[in-house]
Amino acid sequence: MVTTRTPLIAGNWKMNLDHLQAIAFVQKLAWSLKDAKHDFESVEAAVFPPFTDLRSVQTLLDADKLVLALGAQDLSAQDSGAYTGEISGRFLSKLDVRYVLVGHSERRTLHAEDDGVVATKVAAAHRSGLVPVICVGETAADLEQHGPSAVPVAQLRAALAEVPASAEIVVAYEPVWAIGSGQAATAEQAGQVCSALRTALADVAGSDAAAATRILYGGSVKSSNIASFMREPDVDGALVGGASLDVDEFASIVRFQAHVGV
Ligand code: PEP
């Protein structure tokens, strides 16, 4: 089956850049990509700012007709009610947020989000019309004990437990040992795990859904290594942390086709 999975380069800002810094950053990013005549239809670029920046960035994207997609870094498992401090997916939808990270390793580790919580958040995103970017990945200890694919595949299967097979999702394979460490997986390792994730998706949601779903690699992605990942047939983009905070570096990652001839 022939599919066209538009590559997605997603920048997870984590807890960086306030709303004023966010406006300046997004303006500069958009100018830089436009100057370089980036074809936004051939590679989609998305930014995932902190919650407090979303309204400002949305207003800018709308006013200047910028073709960057907006993502959030988390959402509540609930839609509304007495959940102090939580953010509903419905509120995010109203801000033209298209994507939401679910199950990032920092949420799993620092906020005790287990597979059950992740599944309920994936379902909440789907109910609100958001596309969950489901983050999965093994720790260094998992890698030693179970090999590279077992934990991410099990996490993905669990994350899909409460949504229909037709739900649009993005998967991000992020080995925990590669996040923020400067030590990225090899392209071959990433390709193998992404292929195993696609096989699991086919089993859970059917082969058409698996063929249409974008699977990203994340973990110390930079402009100097993005090309190698993008040459892997089952890698459809990248989730970028640290390097997404440098406009020129992030723009260069988004423009991987231009400088490597993939
Ligand atoms: C991340 O936090 O999702 C990530 C991939 O971070 P970094 O690119 O800094 O490794």
Side-chain angles (χ1 to χ4, degrees):
M1 175 184 177
V2 180
T3 57
T4 47
R5 296 189 296 264
T6 303
L8 171 63
I9 305 293
N12 173 17
W13 297 0
K14 311 192 185 194
M15 198 170 68
N16 294 291
L17 306 184
D18 63 35
H19 77 286
L20 296 174
Q21 294 170 316
I23 292 169
F25 184 99
V26 170
Q27 270 170 336
K28 199 171 166 212
L29 176 63
W31 289 334
S32 166
L33 290 170
K34 262 190 201 163
D35 258 11
K37 302 203 177 350
H38 175 66
D39 176 4
F40 289 88
E41 287 193 3
S42 72
V43 178
E44 185 181 5
V47 291
F48 290 67
F51 287 129
T52 49
D53 299 2
L54 289 173
R55 175 63 173 152
S56 303
V57 175
Q58 178 222 7
T59 304
L60 172 65
L61 297 181
D62 189 43
D64 290 2
K65 304 279 169 277
L66 305 179
V67 216
L68 294 167
L70 193 53
Q73 297 176 18
D74 184 30
L75 84 168
S76 174
Q78 316 296 331
D79 295 337
S80 66
Y83 301 101
T84 302
E86 295 281 281
I87 304 288
S88 167
R90 291 182 183 171
F91 306 161
L92 299 174
S93 280
K94 291 273 184 197
L95 291 174
D96 300 336
V97 168
R98 173 154 168 68
Y99 299 106
V100 60
L101 301 182
V102 181
H104 189 279
S105 77
E106 286 151 19
R107 301 289 317 171
R108 291 182 191 261
T109 309
L110 303 173
H111 299 270
E113 293 193 5
D114 60 15
D115 285 347
V117 171
V118 171
T120 58
K121 290 193 171 191
V122 168
H126 178 63
R127 277 198 305 279
S128 294
L130 302 166
V131 178
V133 177
I134 302 171
C135 302
V136 297
E138 81 288 358
T139 62
D142 293 332
L143 182 63
E144 208 171 301
Q145 206 182 337
H146 307 287
S149 303
V151 167
V153 164
Q155 287 175 337
L156 179 60
R157 286 180 180 275
L160 297 174
E162 297 182 30
V163 284
S166 59
E168 185 182 353
I169 60 162
V170 171
V171 179
Y173 166 54
E174 298 205 299
V176 179
W177 47 268
I179 296 178
S181 67
Q183 190 205 335
T186 65
E188 196 190 6
Q189 282 170 331
Q192 276 174 5
V193 179
C194 290
S195 166
L197 289 166
R198 202 175 300 285
T199 302
L201 266 179
D203 185 37
V204 175
S207 53
D208 285 0
T213 298
R214 289 174 293 180
I215 304 181
L216 317 182
Y217 166 75
S220 297
V221 169
K222 297 181 257 185
S223 61
S224 57
N225 63 18
I226 181 68
S228 60
F229 293 114
M230 296 308 296
R231 287 196 191 97
E232 292 295 319
D234 281 305
V235 177
D236 305 311
L239 181 54
V240 186
S244 75
L245 296 169
D246 177 320
V247 174
D248 295 333
E249 179 68 1
F250 188 62
S252 182
I253 294 170
V254 171
R255 297 182 55 250
F256 70 90
Q257 289 174 322
H259 59 92
V260 295
V262 173

